[in-house]
Amino acid sequence: MEFESISAPLNQRDVLAQSPAQEDGAYKLTSPQQVAAGLPAVLSSLEYAMKGPGPLKGLALLRTLNQKGGVDCTSCAWPDPEHRSLAEFCENGAKAVADEGTRKRADKQFFVRYSVEELSRRSDYWLNQQGRLTEPLYLAKDSSHYQPIGWDQAIQLTVDRLKGLDNPQQALFYTSGRTSNEAAFLYQLLARRFGTNNLPDCANLCHESSGVGLNDTLGVSKGTVTLYDFYQAEVIVIVGQNPGTNHPRMLTALEKAKKNGARLVSINPLAEAALVRFKNPQDFLHPVHGIQTLLGSGTQMADLHLPVRLNGDVALFQYVCQQLVARGAVEKAFVEGSTSHFATFKAALDREDPQQLLDQCGLSAQQIEPLVDWLAQTRRIVFCWAMGVTQHVNAVDNVRAIVNTCLLRGAIGHPGAGLCPVRGHSNVQGDRTMGITCYPKAAFLDRLGQHFNFTPPRNPGLDTVKAIEAMLARQAHVLVCLGGNFLQASPDTETTALALKHLRLSVQISTKLNRSHLVTGQEALILPCLGRTEADNHQFVTVENSMSIVHSSQGRQTPASPNLRSEVAIVCDLAGSLLNTDWTPYLHNYDRIRSEIEAVIPGFSDFNRRVRHPSGFALPNLPRQGFFLTGDGKAHFSPLQAPSHQLPAGHYHMMTIRSHDQFNTTIYGNDDRYRGVLGKRRVIFLNPEDAALERLKTGDFVDLLGEQGRVAENFMVVVYPIPPGNTATYFPESNVLIPITQVAMGSNTPACKSVMIQLRRR
Ligand code: SF4
């Protein structure tokens, strides 16, 4: 997309779309840590809980976090064990509830003090530190400051702008993965009754490639394992995932699996601390264990670390499959009885040159051999993955390559085995189950239309990248965001900012201030909602975790302001005016919403009774029992060819990563304790040989140059153990370098993990 072809935006405010390039304050670098969690995690959790909400509220928040009948963590979607610990949370879960429970308030005086232009010159970390939003706010056309506005007026203004559109396809209804099932179900119904399937969501940006790859091969778009499969597995392969920061309680499950004899294999360009050694913070709940853990060196985690090159996964798994086939380590009965397309898969495999595969993944046969040995010895294998697999141009093939290896070993449909895309946002999977998708299945629309007696739109809607393109092309004029930070979660920051400025109206339903409130349409509204930890009229909501367990979550904290509304209430209010329908019965009793869900979505029979079970219930997952929902009822092998990633001289592949002090685009702090970077976010991790070639050393500063003039300024070099030609930076600071056109084939997920860049010394 050429900038010059884009006409002048409606919003002419001089706002910064990126966090300022100048980072003040002291920083410190240490060597990367070799052990994760432990006492530092306990102290950090307590520090956050005490500082933000204050000691009493902080402890109250932690006491109910992930407990039965308590509050489900708003961060990742790692499941809760049946037997909950007294402290059933990790450091990042503690940060999340402390962040929501902060005593700070971004109230109307705050917005009198700061214009949106002034606020945009603050860092994302600073914006998040300003506290909870307290009342609805309106940014009028050509004005510089948000003004308070009444709820009714705000709702009516949104409805007027929606009704003022030429057609419903000019509206976009975005969802972040924090949204509860109840709010998500009503939100999709609102959009479809309004006449559109334009339901982009954060899943488009993360596990869409998993959904497409699994749907193609198994007929379902979700993982197939339970927590108990981890405890019974003999080999657990973790690909492109950093559980220590992004799913920390997974480490407890991995440690338990190891104690049960499992081998762990980490496939990742970076040797992340948590997959080196782990000190379980839960041990500190037991005096003796606590001392042992304190004084000990922790549990050794990965038995094998394969520092694969960025986007070398297809090559690696093709090589592994070649070796397994060569050794006859093919589960014949399973392959013949439960799969199809083995022949085409094998033919494609035989065409691959093993040495070329090794070169492409950047590993040696000796390095990979233990993995092949261990996979050949068992069917009890669990494959887990995250963004390191799903955010590449060939990401869907990455998923297919993992599935091929799994099917070859018959590692699915029985205990201790299966596939596990680990979701990074607490209800991102649940939102999809509720119908938050721009590609709804016909059967779902049939049931929805029949049950609510209307004709749902049938044309595919816009996913997140297509939504940005539609805004740029002035084909979409109103964006409503149910949670999230659309600008910073999206790629190509300056392009996305331009797109947002083309809108007539942007509406953000949020708990805290972020940059998407500052880079807006001509008009903008902030509708402050209740947090998940806050009491909502004695109602509870439900969520679905990575392993398809649906369970309840009930907040009991006093809301940050009496002027907040729940997500459900805001959606009901919008529906009331937009659709001229009365949804207030849903508002007063969420069981009514769940009855509607039960009527429309398979797997939710007797929903209201079953979800009141303290551990909730599992949704049906046929591949877990060895049944596949593909056209022929078999699991499908995929013929693949490993992509080649030749880099021109002086170019590097960059992956965007999270620091340990952030959750998605929410920046809790400027430290990345495990990687040894304290007090700084604009850093680039660079391979020692590459640094020598560039005559750069740790502490030097560079600009990062992307395609078509994209620049990310003022990054400090940190020489780091990362494969040659590969680099890493934190998002959202480097999202500006990711072209909106660089997306995964088949899933349209931005390819944030292999962005081509050059370095320019400052
Ligand atoms: S592992 Fe995930 S869900 Fe559990 S407490 Fe930590 S961040 Fe929250």
Side-chain angles (χ1 to χ4, degrees):
M1 179 143 314
E2 301 306 321
F3 288 109
E4 32 291 336
S5 70
I6 298 165
S7 54
L10 290 177
N11 163 6
Q12 298 287 337
R13 295 181 191 92
D14 173 22
V15 287
L16 284 189
Q18 301 176 54
S19 220
Q22 196 51 45
E23 275 188 311
D24 307 323
Y27 66 85
K28 185 176 160 213
L29 300 176
T30 68
S31 33
Q33 299 201 350
Q34 300 303 306
V35 60
L39 195 57
V42 175
L43 298 176
S44 169
S45 304
L46 292 174
E47 185 203 343
Y48 273 87
M50 301 301 153
K51 211 166 61 185
L56 292 179
K57 183 176 177 183
L59 289 176
L61 284 164
L62 296 180
R63 189 173 51 69
T64 61
L65 186 54
N66 296 328
Q67 295 299 333
K68 294 179 179 178
V71 171
D72 178 68
C73 174
T74 54
S75 286
C76 87
W78 188 256
D80 309 313
E82 182 53 32
H83 305 294
R84 310 288 157 95
S85 138
L86 192 61
E88 191 53 61
F89 54 84
C90 75
E91 181 185 346
N92 281 354
K95 288 173 187 169
V97 288
D99 193 62
E100 188 178 287
T102 178
R103 289 166 289 184
K104 290 185 181 167
R105 299 288 178 269
D107 56 16
K108 63 179 165 208
Q109 284 78 26
F110 174 86
F111 288 96
V112 168
R113 207 163 43 243
Y114 296 101
S115 70
V116 287
E117 287 157 352
E118 287 163 332
L119 290 170
S120 78
R121 281 156 177 72
R122 300 291 184 142
S123 71
D124 292 315
Y125 168 63
W126 184 91
L127 293 173
N128 186 57
Q129 289 299 307
Q130 301 317 303
R132 293 287 303 276
L133 299 159
T134 60
E135 62 190 300
L137 295 156
Y138 172 52
L139 184 66
K141 190 172 166 219
D142 303 329
S143 74
S144 59
H145 285 69
Y146 274 100
Q147 308 283 339
I149 183 172
W151 273 105
D152 297 345
Q153 227 188 328
I155 295 292
Q156 197 51 51
L157 189 150
T158 307
V159 167
D160 291 348
R161 302 294 179 271
L162 286 167
K163 284 185 173 174
L165 297 170
D166 304 334
N167 65 66
Q169 306 321 319
Q170 296 177 334
L172 304 164
F173 295 91
Y174 177 81
T175 310
S176 102
R178 195 203 56 201
T179 303
S180 68
N181 285 340
E182 289 73 15
F185 183 77
L186 291 182
Y187 193 55
Q188 62 82 27
L189 180 60
L190 171 88
R192 293 194 166 106
R193 290 204 48 188
F194 179 62
T196 183
N197 286 315
N198 286 348
L199 287 151
D201 69 335
C202 63
N204 299 150
L205 304 169
C206 63
H207 269 293
E208 195 74 59
S209 306
S210 304
V212 173
L214 291 172
N215 209 41
D216 283 359
T217 51
L218 307 180
V220 293
S221 55
K222 300 178 180 182
T224 70
V225 298
T226 69
L227 202 45
Y228 303 94
D229 290 318
F230 278 78
Y231 306 153
Q232 300 168 71
E234 291 175 8
V235 179
I236 300 175
V237 183
I238 304 154
V239 195
Q241 187 196 354
N242 176 20
T245 290
N246 305 334
H247 318 91
R249 282 187 302 154
M250 180 174 170
L251 301 176
T252 303
L254 293 175
E255 184 186 46
K256 190 167 178 179
K258 284 218 60 154
K259 287 185 176 149
N260 295 346
R263 287 193 175 103
L264 303 190
V265 178
S266 160
I267 297 175
N268 191 323
L270 300 176
E272 303 284 19
L275 290 175
V276 178
R277 303 194 77 83
F278 169 54
K279 284 190 174 186
N280 196 330
Q282 302 292 331
D283 293 348
F284 295 106
L285 296 170
H286 186 283
V288 178
H289 292 167
I291 292 164
Q292 287 167 336
T293 297
L294 194 62
L295 303 176
S297 60
T299 304
Q300 185 216 335
M301 297 298 270
D303 299 280
L304 176 68
H305 172 231
L306 294 176
V308 69
R309 267 221 185 98
L310 280 175
N311 210 4
D313 308 283
V314 173
L316 169 59
F317 283 103
Q318 288 280 80
Y319 180 83
V320 168
C321 287
Q322 277 185 341
Q323 300 305 308
L324 289 170
V325 170
R327 296 178 184 203
V330 175
E331 270 307 305
K332 214 160 172 296
F334 174 81
V335 169
E336 285 169 0
S338 305
T339 74
S340 55
H341 306 303
F342 178 78
T344 46
F345 152 73
K346 174 87 173 30
L349 201 59
D350 294 344
R351 284 193 293 271
E352 299 269 43
D353 166 7
Q355 187 51 51
Q356 217 173 42
L357 293 176
L358 292 173
D359 297 344
Q360 280 163 352
C361 68
L363 299 166
S364 68
Q366 293 68 28
Q367 283 177 292
I368 302 172
E369 194 161 348
L371 172 61
V372 179
D373 294 345
W374 299 337
L375 294 180
Q377 290 161 12
T378 179
R379 295 183 63 191
R380 288 176 175 262
I381 310 163
V382 170
F383 295 87
C384 322
W385 67 87
M387 304 306 103
V389 163
T390 63
Q391 295 179 329
H392 294 280
V393 170
N394 49 276
V396 176
D397 276 359
N398 288 346
V399 174
R400 291 184 180 125
I402 294 171
V403 174
N404 281 343
T405 314
C406 169
L407 299 182
L408 215 49
R409 297 299 310 128
I412 192 165
H414 56 88
L419 297 156
C420 183
V422 185
R423 307 284 175 164
H425 212 162
S426 59
N427 201 34
V428 64
Q429 187 162 309
D431 294 341
R432 261 308 148 90
T433 304
M434 290 300 114
I436 297 288
T437 174
C438 51
Y439 306 116
K441 294 203 166 116
F444 166 74
L445 294 176
D446 294 345
R447 288 190 302 271
L448 193 72
Q450 207 173 9
H451 183 69
F452 289 101
N453 191 22
F454 80 108
T455 308
R458 296 279 167 172
N459 54 311
L462 301 174
D463 63 25
T464 304
V465 166
K466 286 184 179 151
I468 296 167
E469 290 167 343
M471 289 186 251
L472 277 169
R474 287 188 187 281
Q475 290 153 4
H477 302 306
V478 175
L479 169 68
V480 180
C481 291
L482 188 45
N485 182 352
F486 189 97
L487 172 67
Q488 298 295 58
S490 296
D492 218 342
T493 312
E494 293 299 340
T495 304
T496 302
L498 202 55
L500 291 167
K501 291 176 181 179
H502 274 69
L503 291 167
R504 295 177 191 158
L505 174 69
S506 44
V507 180
Q508 315 266 336
I509 299 165
S510 309
T511 55
K512 298 189 75 185
L513 183 64
N514 66 49
R515 197 164 291 278
S516 296
H517 299 129
L518 312 175
V519 181
T520 67
Q522 197 172 31
E523 298 174 287
L525 281 167
I526 301 177
L527 305 180
C529 64
L530 291 174
R532 199 180 281 173
T533 59
E534 292 171 328
D536 175 12
N537 191 20
H538 311 294
Q539 306 281 345
F540 67 83
V541 294
T542 63
V543 293
E544 176 189 338
N545 63 36
S546 289
M547 293 168 190
S548 307
I549 307 291
V550 175
H551 60 101
S552 69
S553 175
Q554 181 154 16
R556 290 180 175 77
Q557 293 294 322
T558 307
S561 151
N563 213 1
L564 305 181
R565 291 188 179 175
S566 71
E567 294 171 329
V568 166
I570 296 169
V571 175
C572 288
D573 291 345
L574 284 170
S577 314
L578 186 66
L579 307 174
N580 196 17
T581 180
D582 180 15
W583 282 7
T584 49
Y586 295 141
L587 190 50
H588 302 306
N589 182 359
Y590 291 7
D591 277 359
R592 290 171 179 262
I593 307 171
R594 288 185 278 272
S595 301
E596 308 284 30
I597 293 170
E598 177 178 338
V600 171
I601 306 203
F604 284 84
S605 57
D606 204 6
F607 188 5
N608 280 310
R609 183 189 63 75
R610 290 198 296 155
V611 82
R612 281 176 168 77
H613 182 281
S615 305
F617 63 93
L619 289 173
N621 189 305
L622 290 174
R624 194 174 281 171
Q625 281 89 45
F627 302 105
F628 304 104
L629 302 168
T630 52
D632 59 6
K634 308 248 180 185
H636 291 183
F637 278 100
S638 311
L640 299 174
Q641 182 185 2
S644 125
H645 308 296
Q646 294 313 317
L647 280 169
H651 287 71
Y652 300 90
H653 275 134
M654 177 198 84
M655 65 171 161
T656 62
I657 56 177
R658 284 190 204 169
S659 79
H660 192 60
D661 254 2
Q662 78 181 91
F663 171 72
N664 280 348
T665 59
T666 304
I667 314 295
Y668 299 127
N670 291 325
D671 295 346
D672 189 5
R673 190 172 74 241
Y674 293 156
R675 300 194 185 101
V677 178
L678 309 175
K680 205 159 189 49
R681 289 193 50 82
R682 300 182 84 84
V683 299
I684 180 163
F685 297 102
L686 188 62
N687 167 276
E689 287 97 47
D690 293 336
L693 274 175
E694 296 275 355
R695 301 181 195 288
L696 290 167
K697 63 187 183 312
T698 292
D700 288 346
F701 284 82
V702 292
D703 294 331
L704 313 182
L705 311 179
E707 293 176 32
Q708 294 164 329
R710 293 174 176 83
V711 183
E713 293 177 348
N714 200 26
F715 280 69
M716 186 177 78
V717 171
V718 176
V719 177
Y720 200 85
I722 189 170
N726 292 177
T727 65
T729 56
Y730 302 132
F731 77 89
E733 284 80 357
S734 53
N735 282 1
V736 64
L737 298 168
I738 307 164
I740 194 170
T741 50
Q742 184 169 310
V743 291
M745 295 174 283
S747 68
N748 222 30
T749 293
C752 316
K753 296 292 189 264
S754 40
V755 182
M756 198 151 70
I757 64 164
Q758 290 177 283
L759 310 182
R760 178 177 65 199
R761 181 188 288 275
R762 286 178 67 90

